[in-house]
């Protein structure tokens, strides 16, 4: 921000690439807004899942991921989770997917994989496709989700009797998700709230 001030910029638009409006987003927002008086205009966009339309668009993308599932297959998504009150975003998204073979859990908060395993045991699903619900498939996806470690989600699901296939592809690689972030940035540039 100081470099932008030094170079004489007067209007600054910041589009964070966070999934939920959690503590990391709050930090980015507060850090940016410390410079609000240094610019004629400083706007910060909202995270990916900020309003009902965002949820609906993410669900439309998830429907594309799940469109070729067999009747005995389900999609399980690993969100990061948060100690911030916005951890409820994951439960809300999971609830909105209730009629679909798509489930959302979080590695560091609720809904937990142990609860989902209990739900899946009562279902007719035999095969699970694990995807990260994260911008990049980093440490959590590689180790906590897809590794052969006994506590990984893959291992826990396999011990329960499911056949598991893992996908180490962050949602940031999906054009549909990129477009949602671009929409959020466009909204602030037009002077409209996107939350």
């Amino acid at each position: 921000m100081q470099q932008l001030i030094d170079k004489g910029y007067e209007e600054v638009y910041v589009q964070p690439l966070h999934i939920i409006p959690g503590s990391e987003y709050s930090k980015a927002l507060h850090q940016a807004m410390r410079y609000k008086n240094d610019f004629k205009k400083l706007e910060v966009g909202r995270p990916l899942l900020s309003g009902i339309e965002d949820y609906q668009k993410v669900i439309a993308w998830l429907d594309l991921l799940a469109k070729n599932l067999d009747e005995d297959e389900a999609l399980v998504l690993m969100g990061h989770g948060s100690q911030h009150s916005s951890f409820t975003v994951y439960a809300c998204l999971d609830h909105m997917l209730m009629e679909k073979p798509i489930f959302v859990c979080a590695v560091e908060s609720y809904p937990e994989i142990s609860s989902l395993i209990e739900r899946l045991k009562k279902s007719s699903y035999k095969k699970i496709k694990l995807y990260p619900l994260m911008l990049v498939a980093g440490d959590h996806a590689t180790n906590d989700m897809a590794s052969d470690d006994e506590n990984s989600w893959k291992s826990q699901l396999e011990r329960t009797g499911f056949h598991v296939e893992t996908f180490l592809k962050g949602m940031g690689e999906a054009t549909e998700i990129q477009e949602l972030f671009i929409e959020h940035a466009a909204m602030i540039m037009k002077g409209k709230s996107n939350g």
Side-chain angles (χ1 to χ4, degrees), residues 159-172:
R159 272 197 310 275
T160 308
F162 295 101
H163 176 272
V164 180
E165 188 177 358
T166 60
F167 297 85
L168 291 174
K169 184 175 181 180
M171 59 195 297

Side-chain angles (χ1 to χ4, degrees), residues 108-172:
E108 291 189 359
S109 62
Y110 179 86
E112 300 167 333
I113 188 66
S114 56
S115 299
L116 176 59
I117 288 174
E118 291 307 311
R119 285 171 62 194
L120 290 172
K121 282 167 40 175
K122 298 171 187 171
S123 74
S124 60
Y125 300 119
K126 305 281 186 251
K127 300 175 191 168
I128 305 296
K129 294 189 175 192
L130 278 175
Y131 280 87
L133 187 68
M134 302 175 189
L135 204 61
V136 297
D139 182 61
H140 281 306
T142 303
N143 297 313
D144 298 323
M145 186 188 83
S147 76
D148 290 326
D149 181 88
E150 67 179 67
N151 292 319
S152 76
W153 286 19
K154 175 182 173 246
S155 296
Q156 290 181 59
L157 286 159
E158 287 176 340
R159 272 197 310 275
T160 308
F162 295 101
H163 176 272
V164 180
E165 188 177 358
T166 60
F167 297 85
L168 291 174
K169 184 175 181 180
M171 59 195 297

Side-chain angles (χ1 to χ4, degrees), residues 1-191:
M1 295 298 263
Q2 190 59 52
Q3 288 177 12
L4 295 173
I5 294 166
D6 294 344
K7 291 181 180 180
Y9 287 94
E10 296 180 347
E11 290 187 23
V12 176
Y13 301 93
V14 179
Q15 179 54 60
L17 298 177
H18 297 97
I19 307 298
I20 66 171
S23 55
E24 296 302 322
Y25 171 76
S26 294
K27 284 182 205 172
L29 176 63
H30 292 298
Q31 287 172 350
M33 295 317 267
R34 288 179 33 218
Y35 296 92
K36 187 159 182 73
N37 295 329
D38 295 308
F39 300 102
K40 284 186 179 175
K41 185 170 213 154
L42 173 61
E43 298 290 338
V44 179
R46 302 288 296 149
L48 183 69
L49 292 169
S50 297
I52 189 68
E53 288 183 8
D54 296 332
Y55 286 80
Q56 291 165 339
K57 290 174 182 177
V58 168
I59 289 170
W61 169 69
L62 292 172
D63 284 338
L64 292 175
L65 280 183
K67 73 177 179 181
N68 294 321
L69 291 177
D70 293 332
E71 283 188 24
D72 65 346
E73 289 182 314
L75 196 63
V76 172
L77 300 143
M78 173 189 266
H80 188 279
S82 178
Q83 299 309 307
H84 188 276
S85 60
S86 65
F87 79 91
T88 56
V89 166
Y90 300 105
C92 179
L93 184 59
D94 185 60
H95 182 77
M96 291 175 73
L97 293 162
M98 197 178 302
E99 302 300 318
K100 301 174 183 284
I102 307 171
F103 302 87
V104 176
C105 288
V107 70
E108 291 189 359
S109 62
Y110 179 86
E112 300 167 333
I113 188 66
S114 56
S115 299
L116 176 59
I117 288 174
E118 291 307 311
R119 285 171 62 194
L120 290 172
K121 282 167 40 175
K122 298 171 187 171
S123 74
S124 60
Y125 300 119
K126 305 281 186 251
K127 300 175 191 168
I128 305 296
K129 294 189 175 192
L130 278 175
Y131 280 87
L133 187 68
M134 302 175 189
L135 204 61
V136 297
D139 182 61
H140 281 306
T142 303
N143 297 313
D144 298 323
M145 186 188 83
S147 76
D148 290 326
D149 181 88
E150 67 179 67
N151 292 319
S152 76
W153 286 19
K154 175 182 173 246
S155 296
Q156 290 181 59
L157 286 159
E158 287 176 340
R159 272 197 310 275
T160 308
F162 295 101
H163 176 272
V164 180
E165 188 177 358
T166 60
F167 297 85
L168 291 174
K169 184 175 181 180
M171 59 195 297
E173 295 182 48
T175 304
E176 297 86 353
I177 299 302
Q178 295 168 10
E179 288 172 358
L180 283 175
F181 279 115
I182 291 168
E183 284 177 24
H184 283 212
M187 293 293 282
I188 59 169
M189 292 178 80
K190 292 175 185 171

